Coordinates of all heavy atoms in Angstrom, one line a residue:
V33 N -2.6 -8.5 -17.2 CA -4.1 -8.2 -17.0 C -4.2 -6.9 -16.2 O -5.0 -6.1 -16.5 CB -4.7 -9.4 -16.3 CG1 -6.2 -9.0 -15.9 CG2 -4.8 -10.6 -17.2
A34 N -3.4 -6.8 -15.1 CA -3.5 -5.6 -14.2 C -3.2 -4.3 -15.0 O -3.8 -3.3 -14.7 CB -2.6 -5.8 -13.0
S35 N -2.3 -4.4 -16.0 CA -1.9 -3.2 -16.7 C -3.0 -2.7 -17.6 O -2.9 -1.5 -18.1 CB -0.7 -3.6 -17.6 OG -1.0 -4.4 -18.7
Y36 N -4.0 -3.5 -17.9 CA -5.2 -3.0 -18.7 C -6.0 -2.0 -18.0 O -6.9 -1.3 -18.6 CB -6.0 -4.2 -19.2 CG -5.3 -5.2 -20.0 CD1 -5.8 -6.6 -20.0 CD2 -4.3 -4.9 -20.9 CE1 -5.2 -7.5 -20.8 CE2 -3.7 -5.9 -21.7 CZ -4.1 -7.2 -21.6 OH -3.5 -8.1 -22.4
F37 N -5.9 -2.0 -16.6 CA -6.9 -1.2 -15.8 C -6.2 -0.1 -15.1 O -5.3 -0.4 -14.2 CB -7.6 -2.1 -14.9 CG -8.4 -3.2 -15.6 CD1 -7.8 -4.5 -15.8 CD2 -9.7 -3.0 -16.1 CE1 -8.5 -5.5 -16.4 CE2 -10.4 -3.9 -16.8 CZ -9.8 -5.2 -16.9
E38 N -6.5 1.1 -15.4 CA -6.0 2.3 -14.7 C -7.0 3.4 -14.7 O -7.7 3.6 -15.6 CB -4.7 2.7 -15.4 CG -4.0 3.9 -14.7 CD -2.7 4.3 -15.5 OE1 -2.3 3.6 -16.4 OE2 -2.2 5.4 -15.1
F39 N -7.1 4.1 -13.5 CA -8.0 5.2 -13.5 C -7.6 6.3 -14.4 O -6.4 6.6 -14.4 CB -8.1 5.7 -12.0 CG -8.9 4.7 -11.1 CD1 -8.2 4.1 -10.1 CD2 -10.2 4.5 -11.3 CE1 -8.9 3.2 -9.2 CE2 -10.9 3.6 -10.4 CZ -10.2 3.0 -9.4
S40 N -8.5 6.9 -15.1 CA -8.2 7.9 -16.0 C -7.9 9.2 -15.3 O -8.2 9.4 -14.1 CB -9.3 8.2 -17.0 OG -10.4 8.7 -16.3
D41 N -7.3 10.2 -16.0 CA -7.0 11.5 -15.4 C -8.3 12.2 -14.9 O -8.3 12.9 -13.9 CB -6.2 12.4 -16.3 CG -4.8 11.9 -16.6 OD1 -4.3 11.1 -15.7 OD2 -4.2 12.3 -17.6
L42 N -9.4 11.9 -15.7 CA -10.6 12.5 -15.3 C -11.1 12.0 -14.0 O -11.5 12.8 -13.1 CB -11.7 12.2 -16.4 CG -13.1 12.7 -16.1 CD1 -13.2 14.2 -15.9 CD2 -14.0 12.3 -17.3
V43 N -11.1 10.7 -13.8 CA -11.5 10.1 -12.5 C -10.6 10.6 -11.4 O -11.1 11.0 -10.3 CB -11.4 8.6 -12.6 CG1 -11.6 8.0 -11.2 CG2 -12.4 8.0 -13.5
K44 N -9.3 10.7 -11.6 CA -8.4 11.2 -10.6 C -8.6 12.6 -10.2 O -8.1 13.1 -9.2 CB -6.9 10.9 -11.0 CG -6.5 9.5 -11.1 CD -5.1 9.3 -11.6 CE -4.7 7.8 -11.7 NZ -3.3 7.7 -12.2
S45 N -9.2 13.4 -11.1 CA -9.5 14.8 -10.8 C -10.7 15.0 -10.0 O -10.9 16.1 -9.5 CB -9.6 15.6 -12.1 OG -10.8 15.3 -12.8
L46 N -11.5 14.0 -9.8 CA -12.8 14.2 -9.1 C -12.6 14.3 -7.6 O -11.7 13.7 -7.0 CB -13.7 12.9 -9.3 CG -14.1 12.7 -10.8 CD1 -14.8 11.3 -10.8 CD2 -15.0 13.8 -11.3
P47 N -13.4 15.2 -7.0 CA -13.3 15.3 -5.5 C -13.4 14.0 -4.7 O -12.8 13.8 -3.7 CB -14.4 16.3 -5.2 CG -14.6 17.1 -6.4 CD -14.3 16.1 -7.5
V48 N -14.3 13.1 -5.2 CA -14.6 11.9 -4.5 C -13.4 11.0 -4.6 O -13.0 10.2 -3.7 CB -15.8 11.2 -5.1 CG1 -15.6 10.7 -6.5 CG2 -16.2 10.0 -4.2
Y49 N -12.6 11.0 -5.7 CA -11.4 10.3 -5.8 C -10.3 10.8 -4.8 O -9.7 10.0 -4.1 CB -10.8 10.3 -7.2 CG -9.6 9.5 -7.4 CD1 -9.6 8.2 -7.9 CD2 -8.3 10.0 -7.2 CE1 -8.5 7.4 -8.1 CE2 -7.2 9.3 -7.3 CZ -7.3 8.0 -7.8 OH -6.1 7.2 -7.9
K50 N -10.2 12.1 -4.8 CA -9.2 12.7 -3.9 C -9.5 12.5 -2.4 O -8.6 12.3 -1.6 CB -9.1 14.2 -4.2 CG -8.5 14.5 -5.6 CD -8.5 16.0 -5.9 CE -8.0 16.3 -7.3 NZ -8.0 17.7 -7.6
E51 N -10.8 12.5 -2.2 CA -11.3 12.2 -0.8 C -10.8 10.8 -0.3 O -10.2 10.7 0.8 CB -12.8 12.3 -0.7 CG -13.4 11.9 0.7 CD -14.9 11.8 0.7 OE1 -15.5 12.2 -0.4 OE2 -15.4 11.4 1.7
W52 N -11.1 9.8 -1.1 CA -10.7 8.5 -0.6 C -9.3 8.1 -0.8 O -8.7 7.3 -0.1 CB -11.7 7.4 -1.3 CG -13.0 7.6 -0.7 CD1 -14.1 8.2 -1.3 CD2 -13.5 7.2 0.5 NE1 -15.2 8.1 -0.5 CE2 -14.8 7.5 0.7 CE3 -12.8 6.5 1.6 CZ2 -15.6 7.3 1.8 CZ3 -13.6 6.2 2.8 CH2 -14.9 6.6 2.9
E53 N -8.6 8.8 -1.8 CA -7.2 8.6 -1.9 C -6.4 9.1 -0.7 O -5.5 8.5 -0.2 CB -6.7 9.3 -3.2 CG -5.2 9.1 -3.4 CD -4.7 9.9 -4.6 OE1 -5.2 11.1 -4.8 OE2 -3.8 9.4 -5.4
A54 N -6.9 10.2 -0.1 CA -6.3 10.8 1.1 C -6.5 9.8 2.3 O -5.7 9.9 3.2 CB -6.9 12.1 1.4
K55 N -7.5 8.9 2.3 CA -7.7 8.0 3.4 C -7.1 6.6 3.1 O -7.3 5.7 3.9 CB -9.2 7.9 3.6 CG -9.9 9.2 4.0 CD -11.4 9.0 4.1 CE -12.1 10.3 4.4 NZ -13.6 10.2 4.5
A56 N -6.4 6.5 2.0 CA -5.9 5.2 1.6 C -5.2 4.4 2.7 O -4.3 5.0 3.3 CB -5.0 5.3 0.3

Side-chain angles (χ1 to χ4, degrees):
V33 173
S35 72
Y36 298 150
F37 301 95
E38 182 180 351
F39 289 113
S40 68
D41 291 339
L42 175 59
V43 170
K44 292 178 179 179
S45 72
L46 296 173
V48 68
Y49 182 93
K50 295 177 181 179
E51 174 188 355
W52 289 103
E53 183 183 35
K55 300 176 182 178

